Amino acid sequence: MTQSAFSSRPAPTVVRTAEELAALRPELGRTALVPTMGALHDGHRALIAAAREQADTVVVSIFVNPLQFGPNDDLDRYPRTFDADLAACAQAGATVVFAPPVDVMYPDAATAATGLGQLVTVGPGPMGEVLEGEFRPGFFQGVLTVVAKLFNLVRPDVAVFGQKDAQQLAVVRRMVRDLCLPVDIAAVPTRRDDDGLATSSRNVYLSVKERHSALALSRALFAGERAAGGGASAVLAAARAVLNDAAHAAPPVSPDYLALVDPATFVEVEQGHSGDAVLVVAAWVGETRLIDNVPLTL
Ligand code: AMP
């Protein structure tokens, strides 16, 4: 590696409380927020790079939000790699890392009889009841509630989200619109490894064989993309054929859903639909649940 590859930018300022953030705010100028749960990878780096183009200051939040995990989800084993995350933020040019403890985000958690003591939450409406919302009840409510808190704590001019979580992006955009929140939302295309697997913090759970099986998700999406000229049912048939094969792989891929939806509403498109759509998939490989999607034009 050349010397310049090591010449990293100044270390970001780490803040953990609302008061520390408020004290910094007058110095921040135009601010971009990149909300993350840590275990940073190339996808997050792409978000930070996009954020740098939009603002003077990039705040990366790192918070594994318990409110968006269901009782059988992976909250306890979710990867936590704070030191490496800080180095990644420094290298990518983040200015501030906001890494609050749980009691800063959920002040009543310690004294609540059950749960996190969060009585008032943000509901996603009907868009939050389908697909990810159907398979992960309460997920989008948890996401929107923590994103709303982060917006109010950081007060960014723009917040940057990944297309990788397409439904989350759509639901966040809808919250901003429906609640008149004073923030712009920017989206960044999905980053993939060379073999097509979308980068994800959860990829570390995959064994070598599981990772190989998991490539069926992106293969299915790309097959659907190639069939776009044939309309909605051709897209779904092409993608489904790949997933059907993958159901017999070792280890098998077990889909939760495959759907072709309107990117803004997440309503499934009709056969005659023309224009933008997004092909979304969620599937289990072993104990790991993966999601992916590809935007396409019909
Ligand atoms: P997470 O830390 O998984 O909650 O993700 C934080 C942000 O990074 C979200 O806006 C995600 O959509 C985005 N993100 C995660 N993986 C990718 C990826 N492979 N490409 C682009 N953005 C991503």
Side-chain angles (χ1 to χ4, degrees):
M1 219 182 257
T2 60
Q3 173 127 33
S4 62
F6 285 110
S7 60
S8 58
R9 302 182 171 95
T13 305
V14 178
V15 293
R16 298 198 179 272
T17 65
E19 293 73 21
E20 287 169 4
L21 258 182
L24 270 186
R25 197 173 299 115
E27 302 163 27
L28 298 186
R30 182 174 163 80
T31 301
L33 171 66
V34 179
T36 83
M37 298 207 298
L40 301 185
H41 51 69
D42 277 357
H44 299 111
R45 286 190 190 90
L47 266 54
I48 297 170
R52 289 182 67 222
E53 287 177 9
Q54 307 247 359
D56 310 314
T57 299
V58 175
V59 179
V60 177
S61 63
I62 298 179
F63 181 63
V64 181
N65 172 33
L67 194 63
Q68 71 190 65
F69 286 76
N72 301 319
D73 284 348
D74 56 346
L75 176 62
D76 291 338
R77 72 169 182 145
Y78 197 84
R80 288 162 171 88
T81 58
F82 187 71
D83 292 343
D85 291 347
L86 210 50
C89 286
Q91 231 234 327
T95 334
V96 174
V97 169
F98 178 48
V102 170
D103 67 346
V104 166
M105 299 303 280
Y106 299 103
D108 296 318
T111 50
T114 56
L116 293 161
Q118 179 78 22
L119 297 185
V120 175
T121 56
V122 183
M127 283 169 71
E129 282 163 21
V130 298
L131 303 168
E132 280 302 282
E134 181 186 339
F135 284 90
R136 302 186 69 186
F139 171 69
F140 287 117
Q141 188 177 22
V143 168
L144 291 186
T145 301
V146 84
V147 168
K149 285 174 185 256
L150 290 168
F151 286 176
N152 287 328
L153 289 163
V154 176
R155 301 188 199 168
D157 298 283
V158 56
V160 183
F161 290 84
Q163 171 69 31
K164 160 76 165 47
D165 298 274
Q167 193 172 1
Q168 169 176 286
L169 173 63
V171 171
V172 167
R173 284 195 198 278
R174 192 71 204 197
M175 169 177 77
V176 165
R177 179 184 163 96
D178 284 357
L179 300 184
C180 309
L181 302 185
V183 60
D184 291 329
I185 302 299
V188 171
T190 301
R191 288 296 300 258
R192 300 181 179 281
D193 289 333
D194 290 343
D195 56 11
L197 186 70
T199 59
S200 165
S201 306
R202 291 191 165 95
N203 290 352
V204 297
Y205 299 153
L206 297 169
S207 69
V208 172
K209 284 183 174 169
E210 286 171 343
R211 196 195 145 93
H212 191 256
S213 290
L215 297 180
L217 274 78
S218 53
R219 270 207 317 277
L221 296 174
F222 298 152
E225 194 179 27
R226 284 193 298 276
S233 51
V235 168
L236 285 167
R240 201 172 291 122
V242 176
L243 291 179
N244 287 345
D245 281 352
H248 305 292
V253 175
S254 311
D256 273 350
Y257 60 78
L258 170 74
L260 186 61
V261 299
D262 180 297
T265 62
F266 269 71
V267 172
E268 296 205 30
V269 303
E270 308 281 336
Q271 168 52 17
H273 176 86
S274 63
D276 291 343
V278 57
L279 181 61
V280 291
V281 66
W284 290 88
V285 185
E287 299 289 299
T288 304
R289 187 173 183 279
L290 299 170
I291 63 169
D292 199 353
N293 71 86
V294 67
L296 42 81
T297 306
L298 292 169

